[in-house]
Amino acid sequence: MTEFRTQRVSRRTIGKALVSTLFAGAAASITSPARADDVYPTKALTMIVPFAAGGSADVYGRLLAQQLNAATGQAFIVEDRPGAGAIIGSQAAAISRPDGYTLLVVSNTHTVNETLFAKKPYKLMTNFVPVAPINASDLVLVTRPDLGIKTLADLIKLAKEKPGALSFASSGPGTPYHMAGELFKQMAGIDITHVPFKGSSEARIDVMGGQVDMMFDATTTMLGLIKSGKVTGIATTGTTRSAVLPDLPTMADAGVPGYEAVIWLGIVAPKGTPDSVVATLNALITTIDQKPDVQAAWEKQGAVPVIMTPGQFTAFIEADIVKWAKVVEISGARVNN
Amino acid sequence: MIEQSLIDLWHGFGIALEPGNLMWSFIGVLIGNLIGVLPGMGAISAISMLLPLTYAMHPVPAILMLAGIFYGSQYGGALGAILLNLPCHPPHAVTCLDGYPMTRQGKAGTALGITMLCSFFAASVGIIVMIVASPLLVQISFKFGPPEIFSIMLVGLLAGATMSRGSPLKGVAMTVIGLLLGVAGTDVLTGTQRFTFGVTDLGDGVELVALALGLFGVAEFLRNVNRMDAISVPLKMSMRDMRPSRADLRQAFPAMLRGTAIGTLFGAVPGTGPTITTFIAYALERKIARDPSRFGHGAIEGVAAPEAASHSKTQVDFIPTMSLGIPGDPVMALILGALLIQGIQPGPQLMTEHADLFWGLIASFWIGNVLLMVLNVPLIGLWVKLLAVPYRFLFPSALFFIAIGVYSTKSNLFEVWEVLAFGIAGAVFAALDFSVAPVLLGFVLGPMVEDNFRRTLLLSHGDAMVFVQHPISAGFIGISVLLISVRLYIWLAARRRGVPDRVEALVAGLPPG
């Protein structure tokens, strides 16, 4: 029967398709052979990124993984496990074996979550040990161009004249963009309406389209839009001027003294990971942070390296939790799960 | 302005046709196609798998390859929908409705041929629109704020209710189930968790891919599991059967044009995803067809229009991605991420600062679509032969790939269970003669309608009049009112003539199903 022949052909075809797919996948994650003289790491590591692929945590996580791979000869496999405000991926890391072969990429989303989520399966400082910070990126406050506002002082004045009338967009309750706005609201003593969107893209379009008055956003994303006049840049959120937008003042200088809201990234490991492993990783990441080519690449993307010892990083995270706890409390944002 | 664009485009073709770049485009299209055919594997899995490869590459070939993967997997996804009733890429769910019946009638080759023609045509139109009308479309897209999106989605919800076969009451019931499923997860506006039952994995709601694959593909498998031998498909393997007949083409051509137009229009409106676009294209075909009863039983227009719509929408969607640096969907976000890794910042400046990349990419869109066509003319025969694999082998392997594919996007086992749960639910629905397409429609549209409604009121401080004060929004609200009142009028007129009172007619204040 001819049918039999066609069956054979197609089965082989499926096989071929299968093999080429699997091969493509394998080629992507092929590791260089282990070096025998290193005590740690001696095998491939997993770096869990609890955020969506293509986002800044993913991009920087992958760049770091590549550098760590070059430095140790071991593969650092980046695993994107997004969902539920980073809780799904973080929980997966929290319950993995504390042998130094599973790491978690954290950001200030994690410190905000400590207060934002009434119940969550882990606690940042109880279930993890801080290893090292990676870098920090400024945000920029932009307004819709037809609002006619050019400076932070004018913006605050307008907001005080019309309490509740102005609106700020964000990518959802509890996200860094939302928190930066709440912090602004509280420190400047103004009343602006929070308008959350499903993602930052939608929020951006509605600021450009003039539906929402302002938003805090990544400097690099906004650079071109500010230059082309699609939005007006007001101020950046770091303690010093941004390398990407050097013409804009910082929020602190322009009228809200003490304001700082950056997105920082760091690495933590499950609690119980040996101190020697934490020290080794901290040293490796510090070396990478100091490399001029890494610094130059990050600067273009709006991030500055942050270098701390594990102890300093622990103190930093604790302070950050306290800082955002107040903002979250006053804003009234809460996720009840 | 346009002259300059054409010169730049010519230059772009030069770049995209360089042997090295052409090779990477081809590799991308091929890999994308192969991965897209595997059930459960879509553009996201394919691109994230191959993303690390691009680190070591020059930006232009890297981006060309990723774009190639994107089309390849999109077309590959249509294959799964038509041949196996498996919508790996949710927009193809509508293609299943008539594509799969065509396969059962032994017209798989025709369906695939039409799909290919439509995708090529629609993509070409989309590319031309992108070159000529890009600044205009960006302007239009800014006009669509929360009230406008709410109103347009409301029309979509009403129009889309025609999706159901048979009883309109059942159709409405299924739409409501979809709406409820769509509500599950963290509320975008307040952060409140709804219908999550304390399960962290439900924090982001139900996964669209899992829902589509479960309700369509897995449900079909489960229903057929006891009659595997009985459902073999007649196979005629000559090249001539692959080619759509002239009558087929005559039927499909206007549908393709309408589908392309809908895709282009929706491409200009940000935040309306491709799934809705294909649903609306399908609903329109059914609405204007002389004999709507053919739909669901292998109507060729039901394949042509949604496929054309999805491809032109995708192409036009590239406009905000490239000209503003704002991704239209997760796949675009990944491609932008790849650009970022290369140290290239997407945005308005991309066109001037990286002209070679920008125009090379645009040229490669078209070349990629040509490659896809060249690749698939000989391959169609091969794809159709897939069906000759006995179902006892085909089903388990498809389920295997569904499990892997669904797991791979987020490395989360929970979503595999979701597929199973929806598969069982889908089989029950099918057994009781409920059609599942409205579930998907309600699921996609519901949250958009709700979020934008509440966002509008947030911005207007509770004043609902904004919906009719904004002209675009008012227009769409008017269409909705018209749709409902026409139905009501017909119902009242029928009642006065003494036609027995029927519940269906009442609930179908929506257009007839």
Side-chain angles (χ1 to χ4, degrees):
Chain A
M1 248 173 81
T2 50
E3 209 172 42
F4 180 66
R5 241 186 49 218
T6 53
Q7 280 174 18
R8 258 186 26 206
V9 171
S10 50
R11 229 177 294 166
R12 215 181 303 143
T13 327
I14 301 173
K16 256 192 239 162
L18 224 176
V19 167
S20 54
T21 322
L22 291 181
F23 177 75
S29 56
I30 271 179
T31 65
S32 27
R35 264 193 257 151
D37 51 291
D38 278 342
V39 187
Y40 168 88
T42 55
K43 55 174 186 175
L45 291 91
T46 304
M47 241 166 83
I48 296 180
V49 176
F51 303 100
S56 69
D58 180 48
V59 169
Y60 289 124
R62 284 177 193 274
L63 286 172
L64 183 72
Q66 210 183 357
Q67 292 281 344
L68 285 168
N69 173 22
T72 61
Q74 293 299 342
F76 281 70
I77 299 159
V78 174
E79 208 179 286
D80 293 316
R81 302 191 68 167
I87 287 180
I88 291 178
S90 306
Q91 171 62 6
I95 57 172
S96 57
R97 201 196 298 229
D99 54 2
Y101 289 90
T102 306
L103 306 173
L104 174 70
V105 175
V106 292
S107 79
N108 36 341
T109 301
H110 286 82
T111 49
V112 170
N113 281 352
E114 288 301 296
T115 320
L116 189 69
F117 284 84
K119 278 181 276 171
K120 63 178 166 35
Y122 66 90
K123 271 198 163 318
L124 191 56
M125 297 316 280
T126 322
N127 294 81
F128 294 98
V129 281
V131 174
I134 305 170
N135 60 26
S137 316
D138 295 349
L139 302 176
V140 59
L141 172 62
V142 297
T143 56
R144 64 184 168 96
D146 47 351
L147 191 64
I149 294 288
K150 294 261 184 294
T151 68
L152 188 62
D154 287 350
L155 184 65
I156 294 174
K157 206 175 122 211
L158 184 66
K160 282 192 171 156
E161 280 166 15
K162 297 192 237 166
L166 295 183
S167 53
F168 74 101
S170 85
S171 45
T175 56
Y177 300 157
H178 172 212
M179 287 297 120
E182 289 293 339
L183 188 67
F184 173 45
K185 211 170 135 175
Q186 290 167 22
M187 291 184 72
I190 52 174
D191 181 12
I192 47 179
T193 308
H194 176 219
V195 184
F197 287 79
K198 196 142 201 174
S200 50
S201 315
E202 286 180 35
R204 239 164 254 154
I205 289 191
D206 275 12
V207 173
M208 280 188 270
Q211 326 277 350
V212 186
D213 297 311
M214 68 191 101
M215 81 178 284
F216 288 88
D217 202 344
T219 50
T220 40
T221 317
M222 279 295 163
L223 171 68
L225 301 172
I226 292 174
K227 273 191 189 162
S228 57
K230 296 215 158 44
V231 293
T232 312
I234 300 293
T236 54
T237 62
T239 44
T240 53
R241 286 193 177 219
S242 152
V244 178
L245 292 161
D247 299 337
L248 291 182
T250 64
M251 296 279 291
D253 290 345
V256 192
Y259 185 96
E260 189 194 2
V262 297
I263 295 187
W264 57 262
L265 292 173
I267 298 279
V268 298
K271 190 72 152 195
T273 304
D275 288 348
S276 61
V277 166
V278 171
T280 309
L281 282 170
N282 185 285
L284 281 167
I285 295 169
T286 302
T287 317
I288 293 166
D289 265 1
Q290 285 165 334
K291 283 170 96 176
D293 56 327
V294 171
Q295 294 193 347
W298 284 356
E299 185 176 305
K300 258 201 275 176
Q301 296 171 34
V304 283
V306 180
I307 295 170
M308 288 179 196
T309 64
Q312 288 168 327
F313 189 39
T314 307
F316 169 81
I317 294 181
E318 279 166 351
D320 213 47
I321 292 174
V322 174
K323 169 181 177 176
W324 294 116
K326 269 189 240 150
V327 180
V328 173
E329 296 288 346
I330 300 176
S331 79
R334 239 334 128 95
V335 178
N336 297 306
N337 60 330
Chain B
M1 184 65 197
I2 288 175
E3 258 169 61
Q4 184 56 40
S5 296
L6 287 178
I7 294 170
D8 287 337
L9 183 66
W10 182 248
H11 176 63
F13 269 106
I15 289 167
L17 284 171
E18 274 171 29
N21 293 342
L22 192 63
M23 180 187 80
W24 284 111
S25 271
F26 182 76
I27 290 177
V29 167
L30 183 68
I31 293 178
N33 205 336
L34 292 179
I35 296 184
V37 165
L38 298 176
M41 300 277 203
I44 296 195
S45 353
I47 291 183
S48 41
M49 247 193 267
L50 292 179
L51 199 59
L53 266 189
T54 65
Y55 295 166
M57 289 166 72
H58 185 267
V60 175
I63 257 354
L64 295 194
M65 181 179 81
L66 293 180
I69 295 176
F70 179 50
Y71 311 124
S73 58
Q74 218 190 4
Y75 179 72
L79 293 175
I82 291 170
L83 296 178
L84 300 170
N85 203 28
L86 274 177
C88 315
H89 187 209
H92 295 305
V94 226
T95 311
C96 291
L97 296 181
D98 279 288
Y100 188 59
M102 281 182 82
T103 298
R104 301 294 296 273
Q105 292 158 17
K107 287 167 74 185
T110 311
L112 293 183
I114 284 290
T115 302
M116 192 169 68
L117 279 178
C118 289
S119 57
F120 179 72
F121 174 82
S124 305
V125 170
I127 292 165
I128 294 169
V129 169
M130 197 174 157
I131 294 165
V132 178
S134 166
L136 180 72
L137 283 179
V138 168
Q139 282 309 313
I140 294 177
S141 75
F142 284 148
K143 297 261 185 289
F144 281 81
E148 285 80 10
I149 295 186
F150 164 78
S151 309
I152 194 171
M153 290 299 130
L154 192 66
V155 175
L157 203 55
L158 290 176
T162 54
M163 301 299 301
S164 67
R165 264 172 290 177
S167 154
L169 182 59
K170 284 182 171 175
V172 171
M174 295 308 269
T175 312
V176 170
I177 289 183
L179 290 173
L180 288 176
L181 282 172
V183 162
T186 310
D187 173 34
V188 175
L189 280 101
T190 60
T192 310
Q193 307 235 332
R194 304 188 291 194
F195 295 128
T196 58
F197 308 105
V199 180
T200 311
D201 292 293
L202 276 174
D204 288 335
V206 172
E207 186 58 37
L208 175 60
V209 177
L211 183 70
L213 279 172
L215 284 184
F216 284 85
V218 176
E220 175 76 17
F221 287 176
L222 291 178
R223 285 183 66 214
N224 288 330
V225 88
N226 283 327
R227 37 187 183 125
M228 291 237 181
D229 300 321
I231 51 165
S232 66
V233 172
L235 283 172
K236 281 176 277 165
M237 279 301 140
S238 84
M239 196 56 211
R240 208 172 307 132
D241 289 326
M242 301 297 141
R243 232 175 280 151
S245 70
R246 192 166 295 178
D248 288 334
L249 284 176
R250 208 176 304 133
Q251 261 181 323
F253 187 74
M256 174 176 85
L257 290 184
R258 287 187 291 264
T260 306
I262 288 181
T264 311
L265 283 177
F266 274 73
V269 182
T272 53
T275 310
I276 296 158
T277 313
T278 56
F279 269 88
I280 291 187
Y282 185 87
L284 178 76
E285 286 311 313
R286 239 184 98 147
K287 196 93 218 139
I288 62 175
R290 232 173 272 147
D291 177 17
S293 66
R294 285 192 306 119
F295 282 81
H297 303 287
I300 200 160
E301 302 96 306
V303 174
E307 283 301 316
S310 124
H311 280 84
S312 56
K313 157 91 178 154
T314 308
Q315 238 9 288
V316 177
D317 255 354
F318 255 106
I319 293 175
T321 306
M322 299 308 287
S323 61
L324 297 172
I326 292 175
D329 64 16
V331 182
M332 292 295 124
L334 265 181
I335 293 185
L336 287 189
L339 280 176
L340 271 176
I341 289 177
Q342 298 275 0
I344 294 171
Q345 184 60 48
Q349 74 286 5
L350 185 75
M351 215 189 275
T352 45
E353 281 174 21
H354 299 279
D356 54 338
L357 186 121
F358 182 82
W359 292 104
L361 181 60
I362 294 202
S364 93
F365 288 159
W366 198 74
I367 292 169
N369 277 292
V370 173
L371 287 175
L372 201 58
M373 193 124 136
V374 170
L375 192 67
N376 273 286
V377 167
L379 281 185
I380 285 188
L382 211 64
W383 298 132
V384 175
K385 279 182 195 156
L386 253 181
L387 295 172
V389 178
Y391 274 49
R392 66 179 183 281
F393 296 125
L394 194 61
F395 281 175
S397 34
L399 283 173
F400 171 74
F401 279 112
I402 288 175
I404 291 187
V406 171
Y407 177 78
S408 69
T409 34
K410 285 191 187 166
S411 323
N412 193 346
L413 201 58
F414 184 79
E415 284 171 19
V416 181
W417 293 113
E418 274 184 47
V419 177
L420 181 65
F422 289 124
I424 293 171
V428 173
F429 287 146
L432 299 175
D433 208 24
F434 281 86
S435 75
V436 290
V439 177
L440 209 59
L441 184 82
F443 178 80
V444 175
L445 281 179
M448 290 179 101
V449 170
E450 188 205 345
D451 290 351
N452 283 296
F453 180 72
R454 290 166 61 196
R455 200 172 286 132
T456 307
L457 292 183
L458 203 58
L459 280 167
S460 72
H461 301 279
D463 180 9
M465 290 309 286
V466 280
F467 289 112
V468 285
Q469 281 160 357
H470 287 228
I472 299 177
S473 167
F476 285 114
I477 296 272
I479 295 174
S480 310
V481 172
L482 204 69
L483 280 175
I484 295 174
S485 38
V486 165
R487 271 315 289 173
L488 276 179
Y489 175 78
I490 293 174
W491 175 64
L492 285 173
R495 235 172 82 115
R496 215 168 302 141
R497 265 185 273 121
V499 178
D501 186 3
R502 289 180 60 191
V503 190
E504 287 99 309
L506 174 66
V507 276
L510 317 162

